[in-house]
Amino acid sequence: MEHYNMNLTLKVWKQKNSQSAGRFETYQVKDVSSEMSFLEMFDVLNEQLIHEGKEPIAFDHDCREGICGTCSMYINGRPHGPWHGTTTCQLHMRAFKDGDTIVVEPWRAKAFPVIKDLMVDRSAFDRIIQAGGYISVNTGVTIDGNAIPVNRDNAEKSFAAAACIGCGACVAACKNSSAMLFLSAKVSHLALLPQGEIERKKRALDMVAQMDKEGFGSCTNTGACEAVCPKEIEITNIARLNREYLSAGLSADK
Amino acid sequence: MNWSHFFTSSVGKKIIMACSGLFLIAFLLVHAGLNACIWAFDGGEMFNKAGHFMGSTVVMRILEIGLFVFFIIHIVQGVVMELQNRSKRGSKGYAVALGNRGSKWYSRSMAILGLLILLFLIVHLGHFWIPNRSNQGWLLGEEINLFEKMKEVFSNPVWVILYTVGVIALFYHLSHGFQSAFRTLGLTNHKYINIIQTVGLVYNVVICLAFIMMPISFYFGWVQ
């Protein structure tokens, strides 16, 4: 595709800290290259703001190659912007054209309070992982990685679920601010493997309990999470989690 | 995990919604089947017999209590969950909504559709169930002629339109609800999803068409 430059109007959420109210701020960004990534465009804007003596916009980013799950941004009403299966850092400006107005908001969920501007506190996800996203292994001599046979289909499904980067787009898109796509990916990842068998029941129950404690909503299977997930985590994982929860809850003897 | 935790977690609450919903889906099948007796074209003889069995036998009347219990559980739990879920977004919503880019409008409107069905249900009970039971002295007394009652109610175009609107709301509620119930109970995977969606669609179309055709059949005098 041919390279082009564009002038854009950005409406960006500015919020001083978690206590303050926050509002939209409008910025004009000139000569944006279609080859820039969305975050590079923000870097250019922030440079410009620093030169003008204004405060730059705070946003989360780290690897910038779509695997760390740090970037967020709710762009024109869609988590990670208009491209399917793409994180904000991998979104390129060729998705937009000259004269466009782009509205950028932080993830909105009670469980993800805004820290500043477009940054939200996603430590709730860490606590959900801590509640059960682990396996038990013996210490001592390293065991041969191939010592435990794994069914190939399950290995594929488990790997697909493990692709979840925990960015929180599912929560941002869900009308109930539910974390079920994230949770189901983490539970599926381990429940499908023999290594995950030991904590299998406890994991499903404890992680659901922690998710509720963090203040996420319940899943009503609308499918919005699956549609916006940058890692294309499938909603069938949620049915698997429900199955895990049902069988664990019904068979637990206390 | 004790039982109360099991049923009050976010997944547990959905399990209750799914089970009560599937029970009501089964009930609709019975309801539509019995009412289809109006198309025996015998002046309502078979229909009144079926109605008499449902209204004047002890077992059926005990099951009726169960039906009300499931209705109430489904409605109350549904409203409570909708309010809880709405509160999870926090004080600020989005300036630009995701809208239909990720989900169907009816999937996001289950509570509104459910409340429309509830309003319809109240009118519907007021037309048939309440006059019939009060005539019976609320026990196993003499029933009214329900076939004649249907004729009377559905001679009024306002009720015909209202019933049609009620059934349309039911259609969209079930379009999401049927398959969502199976997902919630964990009965969905790549193998089952097509079966569940196909069975759901066929069920939905058959049931809703049957219900819509009842008032229309009376209004246009196809059933007399």
Side-chain angles (χ1 to χ4, degrees):
Chain A
M1 192 188 249
E2 210 173 316
H3 169 265
Y4 60 96
N5 282 356
M6 66 194 102
N7 295 328
L8 299 167
T9 306
L10 252 64
K11 284 177 135 180
V12 181
W13 186 258
K14 285 287 287 176
Q15 187 171 332
K16 202 162 179 245
N17 54 45
S18 59
Q19 265 72 48
S20 59
R23 63 187 149 56
F24 279 103
E25 196 83 57
T26 307
Y27 301 97
Q28 303 297 332
V29 205
K30 294 204 171 5
D31 291 328
V32 174
S33 161
S34 59
E35 302 302 309
M36 277 182 189
S37 79
F38 199 80
L39 294 186
E40 280 166 344
M41 185 268 291
F42 260 78
D43 293 336
V44 170
L45 172 60
N46 274 346
E47 287 290 334
Q48 185 187 314
L49 289 173
I50 291 165
H51 275 296
E52 291 168 5
K54 291 179 187 158
E55 201 186 50
I57 301 156
F59 62 92
D60 270 321
H61 63 102
D62 190 21
C63 76
R64 298 211 179 193
E65 54 186 11
I67 54 170
C68 75
T70 311
C71 59
S72 48
M73 294 198 193
Y74 197 84
I75 302 158
N76 282 345
R78 196 177 186 278
H80 296 296
W83 282 355
H84 179 75
T86 308
T87 54
T88 297
C89 63
Q90 298 270 285
L91 174 68
H92 278 68
M93 293 314 293
R94 55 182 176 271
F96 302 93
K97 53 186 195 305
D98 190 38
D100 275 359
T101 299
I102 307 172
V103 182
V104 187
E105 302 172 73
W107 287 174
R108 298 272 187 215
K110 229 182 200 171
F112 288 163
V114 173
I115 300 169
K116 188 177 169 61
D117 300 345
L118 301 172
M119 294 173 80
V120 297
D121 180 0
R122 282 170 282 184
S123 57
F125 271 13
D126 299 339
R127 291 187 291 275
I128 293 174
I129 293 284
Q130 282 161 14
Y134 53 82
I135 57 165
S136 291
V137 287
N138 291 327
T139 53
V141 185
T142 309
I143 302 164
D144 178 0
N146 293 321
I148 306 167
V150 180
N151 171 307
R152 185 176 154 77
D153 280 348
N154 283 358
E156 292 289 340
K157 281 185 203 142
S158 170
F159 192 73
C164 169
I165 53 177
C167 65
C170 44
V171 177
C174 176
K175 82 172 186 63
N176 307 323
S177 309
S178 171
M180 284 282 275
L181 193 66
F182 163 77
L183 179 73
S184 66
K186 298 305 170 193
V187 168
S188 293
H189 164 203
L190 299 175
L192 286 161
L193 297 176
Q195 288 90 337
E197 200 59 41
I198 301 156
E199 292 92 358
R200 187 169 179 175
K201 288 182 186 178
K202 200 175 158 341
R203 178 181 305 117
L205 299 175
D206 288 354
M207 288 179 85
V208 168
Q210 187 64 35
M211 175 182 72
D212 291 350
K213 216 195 273 176
E214 298 293 348
F216 294 101
S218 57
C219 171
T220 53
N221 301 313
T222 67
C225 53
E226 184 185 41
V228 304
C229 177
K231 294 291 138 185
E232 300 175 297
I233 303 294
E234 292 183 5
I235 199 170
T236 45
N237 284 308
I238 295 183
R240 183 181 295 106
L241 167 74
N242 291 335
R243 206 149 62 226
E244 291 287 319
Y245 178 89
L246 257 173
S247 71
L250 293 178
S251 64
D253 53 7
K254 57 175 184 186
Chain B
M1 166 151 291
N2 59 36
W3 289 115
S4 71
H5 280 134
F6 180 70
F7 285 115
T8 53
S9 77
S10 58
V11 181
K13 278 187 248 175
K14 284 291 297 177
I15 290 170
I16 290 177
M17 284 306 282
C19 290
S20 55
L22 288 175
F23 176 86
L24 296 176
I25 282 171
F27 157 73
L28 283 183
L29 208 56
V30 176
H31 188 8
L34 282 171
N35 279 32
C37 292
I38 61 167
W39 292 308
F41 302 106
D42 56 359
E45 199 186 320
M46 191 187 281
F47 173 75
N48 279 335
K49 237 180 220 167
H52 182 72
F53 169 69
M54 296 303 279
S56 303
T57 46
V58 178
V59 175
M60 284 301 142
R61 291 295 299 277
I62 291 170
L63 287 177
E64 186 180 69
I65 298 168
L67 175 63
F68 271 89
V69 169
F70 274 98
F71 259 114
I72 291 164
I73 288 173
H74 195 75
I75 293 163
V76 173
Q77 180 92 312
V79 170
V80 169
M81 279 185 62
E82 177 71 9
L83 293 176
Q84 284 176 343
N85 285 338
R86 275 170 186 264
S87 75
K88 306 294 188 196
R89 180 105 292 156
S91 51
K92 279 192 194 69
Y94 290 111
V96 186
L98 182 64
N100 291 327
R101 283 178 281 178
S103 53
K104 298 274 193 291
W105 69 269
Y106 52 82
S107 295
R108 302 193 305 275
S109 313
M110 288 300 276
I112 296 293
L113 290 168
L115 287 176
L116 274 178
I117 297 166
L118 175 63
L119 290 179
F120 162 74
L121 188 66
I122 291 166
V123 173
H124 179 51
L125 288 178
H127 276 152
F128 301 104
W129 188 79
I130 291 172
N132 197 28
R133 292 290 177 268
S134 65
N135 197 62
Q136 287 180 293
W138 303 98
L139 290 169
L140 297 172
E142 188 62 30
E143 290 180 88
I144 59 172
N145 187 328
L146 285 168
F147 188 79
E148 290 303 319
K149 185 77 182 165
M150 275 177 98
K151 236 191 225 175
E152 177 200 321
V153 170
F154 298 137
S155 63
N156 185 344
V158 173
W159 296 133
V160 175
I161 291 166
L162 189 119
Y163 272 64
T164 307
V165 171
V167 174
I168 290 170
L170 177 69
F171 178 83
Y172 282 108
H173 195 75
L174 287 175
S175 293
H176 176 79
F178 190 96
Q179 47 101 14
S180 181
F182 287 96
R183 286 180 192 275
T184 299
L185 295 175
L187 299 172
T188 305
N189 61 17
H190 287 298
K191 190 176 164 186
Y192 283 105
I193 186 99
N194 290 334
I195 298 173
I196 289 167
Q197 281 175 345
T198 309
V199 171
L201 184 68
V202 170
Y203 166 90
N204 206 0
V205 168
V206 168
I207 291 288
C208 290
L209 262 185
F211 278 132
I212 280 183
M213 288 314 288
M214 284 165 200
I216 289 174
S217 295
F218 277 104
Y219 184 74
F220 290 106
W222 301 336
V223 171
Q224 282 181 351

